[in-house]
Amino acid sequence: KTKSLTLLLALTFLFLFSGSSVVFGDDFQNGSDAYQREDYKEAFKWYQLAAEQGFAQAQYNLGIMYGKGKGVPQNADKALAFYSRAARQGHAVAQYNLGRIYQNGLSDGKNQITPNSKQAEYYLQRAAAQGIINAHHQLGMLYYNFGLQIDVKSLNSKDLQSWDTNKDDVISPQENQYLRDAHDHFLLAAQGNHGPALHALGVMYLQGHGVQNDPGKAVHWLKKAVAFPQPDSYYNLAQLYETGHGTEVNLSRAFMLYQQAARMSHAPSQYNIGLFYYQGRRAGSLISVNVTEEFAHQHSEKQIINDMVSRNPQQNAVLTQATALYRPSNPNSPFRMLNIFVNKEHTQFAVQVLREILPSDAINTKPTITHLGGDDPIQASAWWTLAAEQKQPAAQQALSLVNRLL
């Protein structure tokens, strides 16, 4: 009898547990269906039922809804509470969101959650341990800011001795442990192709923060970063090509990168393009020609320069410094605009080699050639106007000067 009763209780528990799982699974699915329909009040009702039964994903979703004010009045405290409930169950994204809240603070207009760097570090570390790439990047940002703000005099003797690797009683930026930790987390995020982390590594090697100053490595990381369009990455890499730090001088490539950033309303890049025209500096030439989508697919931006060089590797080696970029043609056109940025002295040669690659039906299409930079105060004024509209001080000052000449 005792064995039978024990078995019956065990089976009853299993049935109850199994039934509960199905119920909150149904509640959650009902909530998700309503959310997809943008019926947020209905979604909230179902998520709340699932959350009360301990379903971490429902608790996380309620955190989002309270945080954004969807289906309920925005409430920072309740958002924090539901994220915390999900995080305690190991919900990685809830842990990440908590880390971001404590990193930056959160306000709903009435309640304010103040930043707390220790709590931010705690939750971001846990999210990172579960493979959240963004958490590694944000830990990098957290430690980077710690490193820039710390007063070395505040270090105790043990930490001072640990940080001072060359034993000169001075903590250099390269020895700053917070900056070194930042580098390590940026590297972990970069290994997951996280664009901002790739950019951060480029900046750290450029400035010598947490690592030895190495312009070559800065170029390496920034070239990877520009695959994830960010104006600062374009700008920093352009400066290295313009000055020849860590790489050969390549003014046409620098100009192209400045243009990429300028199109994203990056005021310093707009200002630097204006400088080329004001100072009369030629950055090279832009060769433009319309090509079909099929041609663009067969000859990617990286591949087409290789294709041009490979036709005669020894003679065409000078074209390795060229850079290709596809842009949309006219709105209703079936073509793409192929832009090739090349050094001035190689312009006509590049056109000749390009014609060898273009399909037969495009042979009669004459590429247009545009000078990049050169003595043109009107162009300088146009670019500086764009930068000045964004309150860039150097552009505002330069604009008043050039406009007196026009």
Side-chain angles (χ1 to χ4, degrees), residues 12-288:
T12 302
F13 175 77
L14 285 172
F15 291 142
L16 286 172
F17 183 80
S18 175
S20 175
S21 299
V22 172
V23 169
F24 75 59
D26 289 345
D27 291 341
F28 179 79
Q29 186 59 54
N30 289 337
S32 297
D33 292 342
Y35 198 96
Q36 288 294 320
R37 298 194 305 269
E38 298 185 3
D39 187 349
Y40 299 123
K41 288 185 178 181
E42 183 73 6
F44 177 83
K45 180 187 75 174
W46 290 109
Y47 283 151
Q48 194 169 37
L49 289 172
E52 288 170 354
Q53 297 172 73
F55 195 29
Q57 184 64 38
Q59 294 165 349
Y60 166 77
N61 286 4
L62 288 175
I64 290 178
M65 297 185 79
Y66 274 118
K68 295 183 176 180
K70 287 194 169 184
V72 288
Q74 190 178 19
N75 189 311
D77 289 334
K78 289 186 177 181
L80 189 76
F82 277 106
Y83 281 141
S84 298
R85 288 171 64 180
R88 283 195 293 271
Q89 296 193 68
H91 193 288
V93 184
Q95 293 168 342
Y96 173 75
N97 284 7
L98 280 173
R100 297 289 283 139
I101 288 172
Y102 283 119
Q103 190 176 12
N104 300 312
L106 182 66
S107 174
D108 58 19
K110 295 180 180 178
N111 304 311
Q112 176 76 37
I113 297 168
T114 57
N116 184 320
S117 58
K118 290 298 181 185
Q119 287 284 76
E121 181 183 20
Y122 174 86
Y123 283 110
L124 288 172
Q125 283 181 340
R126 275 145 187 77
Q130 295 199 69
I132 303 297
I133 296 297
N134 283 354
H136 281 298
H137 176 70
Q138 293 305 329
L139 279 169
M141 293 300 298
L142 197 68
Y143 292 136
Y144 191 82
N145 288 328
F146 285 169
L148 295 182
Q149 295 168 8
I150 191 171
D151 181 359
V152 176
K153 295 177 182 178
S154 68
L155 293 175
N156 59 45
S157 58
K158 183 180 178 181
D159 285 341
L160 185 62
Q161 186 177 6
S162 174
W163 286 29
D164 187 15
T165 55
N166 62 3
K167 308 305 177 188
D168 63 353
D169 296 324
V170 176
I171 304 300
S172 68
Q174 292 81 19
E175 294 174 310
N176 186 311
Q177 188 59 53
Y178 282 130
L179 294 179
R180 293 168 73 178
D181 289 343
H183 168 271
D184 292 346
H185 280 286
F186 286 141
L187 184 60
L188 286 168
Q191 289 168 353
N193 280 328
H194 189 274
L198 294 165
H199 171 81
L201 286 171
V203 171
M204 294 192 81
Y205 279 105
L206 194 58
Q207 298 181 340
H209 285 168
V211 291
Q212 292 298 320
N213 176 271
D214 190 333
K217 287 187 177 179
V219 170
H220 168 81
W221 289 111
L222 289 171
K223 284 172 72 174
K224 290 178 177 291
V226 296
F228 304 86
Q230 305 169 85
D232 286 342
S233 297
Y234 288 131
Y235 175 77
N236 288 338
L237 186 57
Q239 288 199 307
L240 294 174
Y241 278 120
E242 184 180 358
T243 59
H245 284 134
T247 186
E248 293 182 36
V249 171
N250 190 328
L251 294 183
S252 65
R253 189 170 296 171
F255 198 95
M256 181 272 289
L257 291 163
Y258 283 138
Q259 278 193 340
Q260 291 284 84
R263 289 192 180 100
M264 300 172 77
S265 301
H266 190 260
S269 294
Q270 293 166 340
Y271 172 74
N272 281 9
I273 293 174
L275 277 179
F276 273 96
Y277 289 107
Y278 181 74
Q279 296 172 347
R281 284 192 298 152
R282 278 289 300 274
S285 301
L286 169 62
I287 304 168
S288 302

Side-chain angles (χ1 to χ4, degrees), residues 290-367:
N290 281 327
V291 297
T292 63
E293 289 283 355
E294 181 183 3
F295 179 88
H297 180 73
Q298 292 174 347
H299 305 271
S300 67
E301 291 174 349
K302 290 183 179 179
Q303 186 61 38
I304 191 166
I305 301 301
N306 293 336
D307 293 340
M308 293 171 70
V309 172
S310 66
R311 297 189 72 80
N312 189 331
Q314 188 172 357
Q315 180 180 337
N316 298 3
V318 293
L319 297 180
T320 58
Q321 294 294 305
T323 310
L325 182 70
Y326 285 106
R327 291 187 58 78
S329 191
N330 296 327
N332 298 319
S333 172
F335 297 100
R336 299 282 296 281
M337 177 68 74
L338 169 61
N339 290 330
I340 296 181
F341 296 77
V342 65
N343 292 337
K344 174 186 174 184
E345 60 271 25
H346 302 142
T347 304
Q348 292 303 326
F349 180 62
V351 170
Q352 175 188 332
V353 177
L354 178 61
R355 284 185 176 280
E356 296 173 7
I357 292 178
L358 290 173
S360 57
D361 58 354
I363 292 299
N364 296 324
T365 302
K366 185 177 180 180

